[in-house]
Amino acid sequence: MRRALLVGAGGMGQGWAKNLVAHSDQVSLAGWVDIREGAAAAAAEKHKISGLWMGTELEKAIAEVQPDFVVDVTIPEAHHEVTLTALAHGIPVIGEKPMAHSMEAARAMVAASDKSGKLYMVSQSRRYDNRILAYRRLIEKTCGSLGILNADFAIGAHFGGFRDEMDHVLLLDMAIHSFDQARYLSGADPVSVYAEEFNPAWSWYKGAASAICLFEMANGLRFTYRGSWCAEGLHTSWECEWRATGDAGTALWDGNDILKGAKVVGTEGFHRETQSTEEPITEEISGGIAGSLEDFLHALDTGATPMGECHDNIKSLAMVFGAVESATTGKRVAI
Ligand SMILES: NC(=O)c1ccc[n+]([C@@H]2O[C@H](COP(=O)([O-])OP(=O)(O)OC[C@H]3O[C@@H](n4cnc5c(N)ncnc54)[C@H](O)[C@@H]3O)[C@@H](O)[C@H]2O)c1
């Protein structure tokens, strides 16, 4: 039984508390920290969780709880401090996305993982989805050598709160998921990006809630992302709508349950003859943060490398900060 110390008792921290409790065959939620006085206790009471250490100081919590791992669900600006503190005590960390608020902070976190020899994994929860697993297989069986990958994201999201005031809100808070999914689907790492951010006249956000990004990925693959958080009506899925094209054909995913492909079988004619391809959604995996927690625990048990391991995840973060730099400078940016 592993002892977990949870840091952050906001909306997502409470989601993680429920996730940890749901895995009580493998972990016990031993402590909960939030810098806001009484926040952890109020959240624990709300979710009827008792018998755990609660307080506001991480160092004190580590000394008294002696956790086997830390779950960091604080705001992005605090991820660096929380992760470095835990790793300095030799404690592995699973933390929420995005890894950090800057590339400099993220590099220091990867270096701290190296120095301590302990796992630091980012919970990139949208990878734990049986539909994206099936779509990746469909791309492999249909497209051949991949050259074009397109993702569309259009949601009119009225959050209220910090996102309404945030700079680069779409790129920093949401696009990390889609960029990470593009790396997962293509198996390719980023080379450069040209991005434009804009805020349509009707947008209820202060920062840019829309963006169009063109990434060059390894092997010449181009990945385009067209996203908006102020697109009212006919929303896409939160997973984006995807189109992947290679020398052998095209595969689509609507971001929900529709996956379809067309593989070229003819060699003549204006349009080459194609054959439909399909890929069933088969796996019964735990989705979202349940999936990432299980991946993390499996890695602790076996030494396997989980998805979201920091050396890999920092490449998805670099796509976000590359896009922000390009949108700010108006230039194509090497990643
Ligand atoms: N995977 C997803 O789909 C998903 C969804 C929502 C949020 N998130 C991520 O989860 C994280 C938290 O988001 P949220 O919506 O819960 O935010 P939130 O603002 O509701 O909660 C953050 C909490 O962290 C606390 N905190 C801040 N600094 C701290 C520190 N140094 N030590 C201890 N506690 C500290 C705050 O007091 C607050 O209670 C963010 O990184 C966010 O991007 C991920």
Side-chain angles (χ1 to χ4, degrees):
M1 183 69 68
R2 288 197 159 87
R3 292 165 64 73
L5 175 61
L6 179 57
V7 190
M12 200 61 189
Q14 293 176 43
W16 268 96
K18 288 191 270 181
N19 187 25
L20 291 162
V21 169
H23 287 81
S24 59
D25 55 330
Q26 295 175 75
V27 298
S28 71
L29 175 51
W32 201 347
V33 177
D34 194 294
I35 46 165
R36 285 182 296 125
E37 189 73 46
E45 191 181 340
K46 180 175 161 194
H47 296 285
K48 301 186 171 42
I49 302 169
S50 56
L52 71 170
W53 190 99
M54 286 174 283
T56 56
E57 289 171 45
L58 179 56
E59 285 282 3
K60 196 168 168 196
I62 288 173
E64 295 186 10
V65 174
Q66 297 281 309
D68 296 306
F69 67 95
V70 160
V71 184
D72 177 11
V73 199
T74 59
I75 54 171
E77 289 72 14
H79 291 174
H80 172 260
E81 181 194 331
V82 170
T83 300
L84 259 57
T85 302
L87 290 172
H89 285 275
I91 302 168
V93 178
I94 178 167
E96 261 302 337
K97 52 60 57 176
M99 183 189 285
H101 62 290
S102 72
M103 284 307 293
E104 192 187 359
R107 285 189 203 101
M109 293 155 88
V110 174
S113 172
D114 283 337
K115 189 174 170 200
S116 68
K118 299 294 173 187
L119 175 62
Y120 168 43
M121 165 184 169
V122 176
S123 169
Q124 204 69 65
S125 57
R126 287 177 192 276
R127 282 199 184 203
Y128 301 91
D129 182 323
N130 53 12
R131 300 164 305 172
I132 201 170
L133 298 181
Y135 185 47
R136 190 159 91 148
R137 287 197 301 273
L138 184 66
I139 290 173
E140 276 165 13
K141 79 150 74 150
T142 307
C143 299
S145 174
L146 205 58
I148 307 167
L149 183 63
N150 301 331
D152 280 332
F153 177 86
I155 305 244
H158 294 261
F159 291 103
F162 73 93
R163 289 184 182 85
D164 285 5
E165 304 299 319
M166 193 175 160
D167 290 336
H168 315 290
V169 59
L170 180 76
L171 287 176
L172 288 182
D173 201 53
M174 185 64 213
I176 179 75
H177 283 299
S178 316
F179 296 173
D180 183 71
Q181 286 171 314
R183 285 187 54 238
Y184 179 65
L185 290 171
S186 65
D189 287 333
V191 174
S192 70
V193 58
Y194 175 75
E196 289 194 10
E197 278 183 307
F198 58 106
N199 213 16
W202 68 83
S203 173
W204 50 95
Y205 293 84
K206 184 163 161 256
S210 300
I212 297 177
C213 309
L214 167 61
F215 288 92
E216 181 183 344
M217 309 290 281
N219 303 323
L221 169 72
R222 294 300 193 278
F223 163 54
T224 68
Y225 170 82
R226 300 185 299 185
S228 180
W229 243 346
C230 59
E232 297 282 32
L234 298 178
H235 295 165
T236 63
S237 146
W238 283 82
E239 313 306 325
C240 295
E241 281 175 7
W242 294 85
R243 171 178 284 261
T245 300
D247 59 345
T250 290
L252 307 181
W253 176 33
D254 73 343
N256 294 307
D257 291 336
I258 298 176
L259 299 158
K260 57 184 178 187
K263 194 175 176 70
V264 175
V265 289
T267 53
E268 290 176 4
F270 181 66
H271 293 308
R272 298 303 200 234
E273 191 186 338
T274 59
Q275 212 167 52
S276 296
T277 54
E278 292 174 3
E279 185 61 35
I281 298 166
T282 49
E283 291 89 350
E284 291 188 14
I285 59 162
S286 301
I289 59 173
S292 55
L293 176 61
E294 288 167 22
D295 202 10
F296 179 73
L297 294 173
H298 176 71
L300 292 184
D301 285 344
T302 63
T305 303
M307 291 200 285
E309 195 277 332
C310 60
H311 292 81
D312 185 72
N313 189 264
I314 196 170
K315 296 175 190 170
S316 299
L317 190 75
M319 292 173 77
V320 172
F321 284 109
V324 169
E325 187 185 334
S326 173
T328 309
T329 60
K331 296 197 172 122
R332 181 180 171 129
V333 169
I335 297 175

PDB file of all heavy atoms in Angstrom, residues 100-118:
ATOM      1  N   ALA A 100       4.901  23.136 -16.391  1.00  0.00           N
ATOM      2  CA  ALA A 100       5.388  24.356 -15.725  1.00  0.00           C
ATOM      3  C   ALA A 100       4.900  25.592 -16.464  1.00  0.00           C
ATOM      4  O   ALA A 100       4.352  25.507 -17.564  1.00  0.00           O
ATOM      5  CB  ALA A 100       6.905  24.340 -15.683  1.00  0.00           C
ATOM      6  N   HIS A 101       5.149  26.747 -15.861  1.00  0.00           N
ATOM      7  CA  HIS A 101       4.724  28.021 -16.443  1.00  0.00           C
ATOM      8  C   HIS A 101       5.787  28.589 -17.375  1.00  0.00           C
ATOM      9  O   HIS A 101       5.572  29.633 -17.992  1.00  0.00           O
ATOM     10  CB  HIS A 101       4.407  29.023 -15.334  1.00  0.00           C
ATOM     11  CG  HIS A 101       5.595  29.334 -14.470  1.00  0.00           C
ATOM     12  ND1 HIS A 101       6.135  28.416 -13.599  1.00  0.00           N
ATOM     13  CD2 HIS A 101       6.367  30.444 -14.380  1.00  0.00           C
ATOM     14  CE1 HIS A 101       7.181  28.966 -12.989  1.00  0.00           C
ATOM     15  NE2 HIS A 101       7.338  30.183 -13.456  1.00  0.00           N
ATOM     16  N   SER A 102       6.955  27.947 -17.470  1.00  0.00           N
ATOM     17  CA  SER A 102       7.996  28.394 -18.409  1.00  0.00           C
ATOM     18  C   SER A 102       8.871  27.197 -18.762  1.00  0.00           C
ATOM     19  O   SER A 102       8.929  26.213 -18.020  1.00  0.00           O
ATOM     20  CB  SER A 102       8.867  29.499 -17.796  1.00  0.00           C
ATOM     21  OG  SER A 102       9.707  28.942 -16.793  1.00  0.00           O
ATOM     22  N   MET A 103       9.584  27.299 -19.887  1.00  0.00           N
ATOM     23  CA  MET A 103      10.484  26.207 -20.287  1.00  0.00           C
ATOM     24  C   MET A 103      11.660  26.112 -19.318  1.00  0.00           C
ATOM     25  O   MET A 103      12.146  25.018 -19.033  1.00  0.00           O
ATOM     26  CB  MET A 103      11.005  26.440 -21.712  1.00  0.00           C
ATOM     27  CG  MET A 103       9.999  26.148 -22.803  1.00  0.00           C
ATOM     28  SD  MET A 103       9.244  24.489 -22.696  1.00  0.00           S
ATOM     29  CE  MET A 103      10.629  23.438 -23.045  1.00  0.00           C
ATOM     30  N   GLU A 104      12.097  27.260 -18.816  1.00  0.00           N
ATOM     31  CA  GLU A 104      13.222  27.258 -17.865  1.00  0.00           C
ATOM     32  C   GLU A 104      12.851  26.452 -16.619  1.00  0.00           C
ATOM     33  O   GLU A 104      13.626  25.604 -16.148  1.00  0.00           O
ATOM     34  CB  GLU A 104      13.530  28.708 -17.494  1.00  0.00           C
ATOM     35  CG  GLU A 104      14.819  28.890 -16.757  1.00  0.00           C
ATOM     36  CD  GLU A 104      14.983  30.334 -16.281  1.00  0.00           C
ATOM     37  OE1 GLU A 104      14.099  31.175 -16.544  1.00  0.00           O
ATOM     38  OE2 GLU A 104      15.987  30.582 -15.603  1.00  0.00           O
ATOM     39  N   ALA A 105      11.654  26.706 -16.094  1.00  0.00           N
ATOM     40  CA  ALA A 105      11.193  25.964 -14.915  1.00  0.00           C
ATOM     41  C   ALA A 105      11.064  24.471 -15.243  1.00  0.00           C
ATOM     42  O   ALA A 105      11.460  23.607 -14.448  1.00  0.00           O
ATOM     43  CB  ALA A 105       9.853  26.528 -14.438  1.00  0.00           C
ATOM     44  N   ALA A 106      10.535  24.169 -16.432  1.00  0.00           N
ATOM     45  CA  ALA A 106      10.341  22.765 -16.815  1.00  0.00           C
ATOM     46  C   ALA A 106      11.688  22.040 -16.903  1.00  0.00           C
ATOM     47  O   ALA A 106      11.824  20.896 -16.446  1.00  0.00           O
ATOM     48  CB  ALA A 106       9.594  22.684 -18.144  1.00  0.00           C
ATOM     49  N   ARG A 107      12.687  22.713 -17.496  1.00  0.00           N
ATOM     50  CA  ARG A 107      14.014  22.071 -17.614  1.00  0.00           C
ATOM     51  C   ARG A 107      14.587  21.791 -16.232  1.00  0.00           C
ATOM     52  O   ARG A 107      15.213  20.742 -16.002  1.00  0.00           O
ATOM     53  CB  ARG A 107      14.967  22.960 -18.417  1.00  0.00           C
ATOM     54  CG  ARG A 107      14.663  22.943 -19.895  1.00  0.00           C
ATOM     55  CD  ARG A 107      15.729  23.657 -20.729  1.00  0.00           C
ATOM     56  NE  ARG A 107      15.140  24.070 -21.997  1.00  0.00           N
ATOM     57  CZ  ARG A 107      14.728  25.310 -22.273  1.00  0.00           C
ATOM     58  NH1 ARG A 107      14.870  26.287 -21.393  1.00  0.00           N
ATOM     59  NH2 ARG A 107      14.175  25.578 -23.438  1.00  0.00           N
ATOM     60  N   ALA A 108      14.375  22.710 -15.296  1.00  0.00           N
ATOM     61  CA  ALA A 108      14.882  22.501 -13.927  1.00  0.00           C
ATOM     62  C   ALA A 108      14.179  21.304 -13.281  1.00  0.00           C
ATOM     63  O   ALA A 108      14.787  20.554 -12.495  1.00  0.00           O
ATOM     64  CB  ALA A 108      14.663  23.765 -13.093  1.00  0.00           C
ATOM     65  N   MET A 109      12.924  21.094 -13.615  1.00  0.00           N
ATOM     66  CA  MET A 109      12.176  19.964 -13.037  1.00  0.00           C
ATOM     67  C   MET A 109      12.679  18.634 -13.600  1.00  0.00           C
ATOM     68  O   MET A 109      12.819  17.645 -12.883  1.00  0.00           O
ATOM     69  CB  MET A 109      10.671  20.147 -13.310  1.00  0.00           C
ATOM     70  CG  MET A 109      10.108  21.339 -12.546  1.00  0.00           C
ATOM     71  SD  MET A 109       8.641  22.053 -13.308  1.00  0.00           S
ATOM     72  CE  MET A 109       7.359  21.075 -12.579  1.00  0.00           C
ATOM     73  N   VAL A 110      12.979  18.621 -14.900  1.00  0.00           N
ATOM     74  CA  VAL A 110      13.532  17.396 -15.510  1.00  0.00           C
ATOM     75  C   VAL A 110      14.907  17.109 -14.888  1.00  0.00           C
ATOM     76  O   VAL A 110      15.226  15.955 -14.549  1.00  0.00           O
ATOM     77  CB  VAL A 110      13.629  17.554 -17.048  1.00  0.00           C
ATOM     78  CG1 VAL A 110      14.333  16.358 -17.673  1.00  0.00           C
ATOM     79  CG2 VAL A 110      12.233  17.711 -17.650  1.00  0.00           C
ATOM     80  N   ALA A 111      15.706  18.173 -14.707  1.00  0.00           N
ATOM     81  CA  ALA A 111      17.039  17.998 -14.113  1.00  0.00           C
ATOM     82  C   ALA A 111      16.921  17.478 -12.675  1.00  0.00           C
ATOM     83  O   ALA A 111      17.718  16.631 -12.236  1.00  0.00           O
ATOM     84  CB  ALA A 111      17.806  19.324 -14.139  1.00  0.00           C
ATOM     85  N   ALA A 112      15.912  17.947 -11.947  1.00  0.00           N
ATOM     86  CA  ALA A 112      15.715  17.489 -10.565  1.00  0.00           C
ATOM     87  C   ALA A 112      15.325  16.014 -10.525  1.00  0.00           C
ATOM     88  O   ALA A 112      15.737  15.273  -9.615  1.00  0.00           O
ATOM     89  CB  ALA A 112      14.648  18.343  -9.880  1.00  0.00           C
ATOM     90  N   SER A 113      14.561  15.586 -11.501  1.00  0.00           N
ATOM     91  CA  SER A 113      14.203  14.162 -11.585  1.00  0.00           C
ATOM     92  C   SER A 113      15.464  13.338 -11.845  1.00  0.00           C
ATOM     93  O   SER A 113      15.692  12.293 -11.216  1.00  0.00           O
ATOM     94  CB  SER A 113      13.165  13.952 -12.691  1.00  0.00           C
ATOM     95  OG  SER A 113      12.939  12.582 -12.903  1.00  0.00           O
ATOM     96  N   ASP A 114      16.304  13.826 -12.755  1.00  0.00           N
ATOM     97  CA  ASP A 114      17.577  13.132 -13.038  1.00  0.00           C
ATOM     98  C   ASP A 114      18.431  13.056 -11.783  1.00  0.00           C
ATOM     99  O   ASP A 114      18.976  11.998 -11.448  1.00  0.00           O
ATOM    100  CB  ASP A 114      18.365  13.896 -14.119  1.00  0.00           C
ATOM    101  CG  ASP A 114      17.799  13.661 -15.510  1.00  0.00           C
ATOM    102  OD1 ASP A 114      17.120  12.630 -15.713  1.00  0.00           O
ATOM    103  OD2 ASP A 114      18.031  14.516 -16.386  1.00  0.00           O
ATOM    104  N   LYS A 115      18.558  14.195 -11.100  1.00  0.00           N
ATOM    105  CA  LYS A 115      19.449  14.263  -9.930  1.00  0.00           C
ATOM    106  C   LYS A 115      18.984  13.322  -8.819  1.00  0.00           C
ATOM    107  O   LYS A 115      19.781  12.637  -8.181  1.00  0.00           O
ATOM    108  CB  LYS A 115      19.491  15.710  -9.421  1.00  0.00           C
ATOM    109  CG  LYS A 115      20.538  15.937  -8.362  1.00  0.00           C
ATOM    110  CD  LYS A 115      20.654  17.405  -7.990  1.00  0.00           C
ATOM    111  CE  LYS A 115      21.535  17.530  -6.748  1.00  0.00           C
ATOM    112  NZ  LYS A 115      21.341  18.776  -6.052  1.00  0.00           N
ATOM    113  N   SER A 116      17.668  13.281  -8.607  1.00  0.00           N
ATOM    114  CA  SER A 116      17.153  12.448  -7.512  1.00  0.00           C
ATOM    115  C   SER A 116      17.024  10.987  -7.931  1.00  0.00           C
ATOM    116  O   SER A 116      16.909  10.102  -7.090  1.00  0.00           O
ATOM    117  CB  SER A 116      15.775  12.963  -7.068  1.00  0.00           C
ATOM    118  OG  SER A 116      14.834  12.738  -8.099  1.00  0.00           O
ATOM    119  N   GLY A 117      17.007  10.753  -9.240  1.00  0.00           N
ATOM    120  CA  GLY A 117      16.784   9.385  -9.730  1.00  0.00           C
ATOM    121  C   GLY A 117      15.351   8.923  -9.502  1.00  0.00           C
ATOM    122  O   GLY A 117      15.054   7.727  -9.551  1.00  0.00           O
ATOM    123  N   LYS A 118      14.440   9.867  -9.270  1.00  0.00           N
ATOM    124  CA  LYS A 118      13.037   9.523  -8.998  1.00  0.00           C
ATOM    125  C   LYS A 118      12.139   9.960 -10.164  1.00  0.00           C
ATOM    126  O   LYS A 118      12.419  10.948 -10.845  1.00  0.00           O
ATOM    127  CB  LYS A 118      12.546  10.204  -7.712  1.00  0.00           C
ATOM    128  CG  LYS A 118      13.311   9.785  -6.483  1.00  0.00           C
ATOM    129  CD  LYS A 118      13.080   8.320  -6.165  1.00  0.00           C
ATOM    130  CE  LYS A 118      13.981   7.860  -5.026  1.00  0.00           C
ATOM    131  NZ  LYS A 118      13.920   6.415  -4.790  1.00  0.00           N
TER     132      LYS A 118
END
